[in-house]
Amino acid sequence: MAHDEDITSADNEKLVKDMPKDAHTMLIKHLQPKNIFGRNYKLFADKLGYSYQDIQYLESKDKPVQQIIEEKGDRTIAEWISLLKDMERKDVAEDLEKFIEKTPTPRQLKLRKSYVKRIRNRRPVGNLTMHLFALAMKIESGSVFETTAVAIEKTCKKFVVILSSNFDHSEGAHYESQIATGLSPGAKEKRLIPVLIEEAYRSKIPRTISHITYLDYLRQDEKHFWDLLAQSLGWSAK
C-alpha cells in the first residue's frame, strides 16, 4: 500500500489521454471542422504551444485532432477545459466536463495495471494450472460479440470480472459478464468470479451480479486474497 508521501498531486490529476474513447471522438467532431471564427483545432493547437510550422503540418493530416490528443494527451483535462474556454469554445469545454467522472486518475490506472501484472505473473499454485484468457474490452461490431460469446462458452471454465468504475463504461465488460452469468443460472456453478478493486465502486455493483459473492482485493491481505482466488478457480489444497 502506498504511503501518503508517495502520492503526489499529479496522481489525482486526470489526463486527456485516459479519457473514454467517446470523449476523444467528441473533441474530433467539435474541433476538426472549419469554424467561421477560426476557433477550431488550429487555434487550439496554438493555445497548446504548437508553432506555426507545426500547425501547418497538422493541416496536412487526415486526423489532426487525433494527433493533438496523441501528442498532448498527457496534459490534464482541467488544462484543456481552461484553454477551450479561453478560445471561446465553452460548448466543447462543457461537453468535455461530462467525461471527467468517467476518467480514471493516473493512480487508479497504476493500481489496475499492477493488479493485472500480478495475475499474469502469478505462478500455478499446487496442482492448479490456469491460462489467462484476456478478452478485448473495446467491442465495436456484432460479429465480435458473437465470437466473444463462443469464446466464453467454449474456453472459459471460470470468468473473472474486475469491478471498478471502468466496468460501467465498458459495453464489452457488461456483455461478457452477462454471457458468463447466463451459463450458470443462479450462480450454481460459481462460474463468474467478481473481484472488487475500487473502494468507490463497492456501492455501485450492478444488480445483475450483485447476488454473487465477490472477492475483496481491498480488504484482504495479499496471501489470503490469492489463496481465495485460487480456490475460486478450482484449486484445492491436498
Side-chain angles (χ1 to χ4, degrees):
M1 183 176 293
H3 298 289
D4 290 341
E5 59 267 23
D6 297 326
I7 302 174
T8 65
S9 58
D11 286 327
N12 297 316
E13 288 288 343
K14 297 182 177 183
L15 306 179
V16 172
K17 67 179 182 180
D18 298 327
M19 300 187 81
K21 184 179 179 181
D22 288 348
H24 294 170
T25 300
M26 180 276 295
L27 287 168
I28 292 170
K29 289 181 178 179
H30 276 302
L31 295 177
Q32 192 151 309
K34 292 182 179 179
N35 182 284
I36 58 174
F37 300 107
R39 297 169 187 155
N40 62 356
Y41 73 90
K42 289 184 279 187
L43 178 57
F44 188 60
D46 179 69
K47 296 285 184 181
L48 284 168
Y50 280 78
S51 67
Y52 175 73
Q53 289 78 14
D54 290 336
I55 294 173
Q56 281 190 312
Y57 176 70
L58 284 174
E59 289 185 71
S60 70
K61 307 297 289 184
D62 292 332
K63 299 179 179 180
V65 179
Q66 183 61 44
Q67 180 148 339
I68 292 174
I69 293 171
E70 292 173 0
E71 294 177 351
K72 302 294 183 179
D74 57 349
R75 303 279 189 92
T76 65
I77 301 172
E79 183 179 357
W80 275 43
I81 289 173
S82 177
L83 292 175
L84 287 165
K85 290 180 178 179
D86 187 53
M87 60 182 273
E88 298 183 32
R89 288 304 303 267
K90 187 178 179 182
D91 57 324
V92 187
E94 289 178 348
D95 282 348
L96 200 60
E97 288 174 343
K98 297 174 184 177
F99 290 95
I100 292 178
E101 186 177 349
K102 299 178 181 179
T103 305
T105 65
R107 176 168 173 73
Q108 288 172 328
L109 287 173
K110 287 179 183 178
L111 289 173
R112 291 168 193 170
K113 288 178 181 178
S114 174
Y115 176 79
V116 172
K117 185 177 180 180
R118 288 182 182 183
I119 289 180
R120 287 177 175 171
N121 293 338
R122 191 71 176 178
R123 294 182 178 180
V125 181
N127 295 321
L128 177 65
T129 301
M130 295 180 292
H131 295 281
L132 181 63
F133 186 77
L135 295 170
M137 303 309 286
K138 293 183 179 179
I139 296 178
E140 299 176 354
S141 66
S143 61
V144 179
F145 272 111
E146 294 173 7
T147 301
T148 301
V150 172
I152 293 173
E153 182 179 0
K154 302 296 184 182
T155 308
C156 303
K157 293 182 179 179
K158 299 288 184 178
F159 189 88
V160 178
V161 57
I162 306 302
L163 300 177
S164 72
S165 55
N166 274 355
F167 185 83
D168 284 342
H169 312 308
S170 172
E171 186 179 5
H174 276 279
Y175 177 77
E176 291 159 7
S177 63
Q178 287 171 5
I179 292 296
T181 303
L183 293 173
S184 179
K188 293 180 180 179
E189 297 179 15
K190 297 183 179 179
R191 195 163 186 172
L192 187 70
I193 305 170
V195 177
L196 180 69
I197 67 168
E198 185 177 305
E199 185 62 41
Y201 199 70
R202 191 179 297 278
S203 60
K204 301 178 182 179
I205 298 174
R207 291 183 179 180
T208 53
I209 58 177
S210 61
H211 63 287
I212 302 174
T213 302
Y214 60 82
L215 297 182
D216 197 331
Y217 181 69
L218 303 170
R219 296 185 179 179
Q220 303 285 348
D221 64 71
E222 187 80 5
K223 183 180 183 303
H224 186 51
F225 169 79
W226 289 110
D227 286 345
L228 288 175
L229 180 58
Q231 291 169 19
S232 298
L233 290 169
W235 175 76
S236 59
K238 291 186 177 181

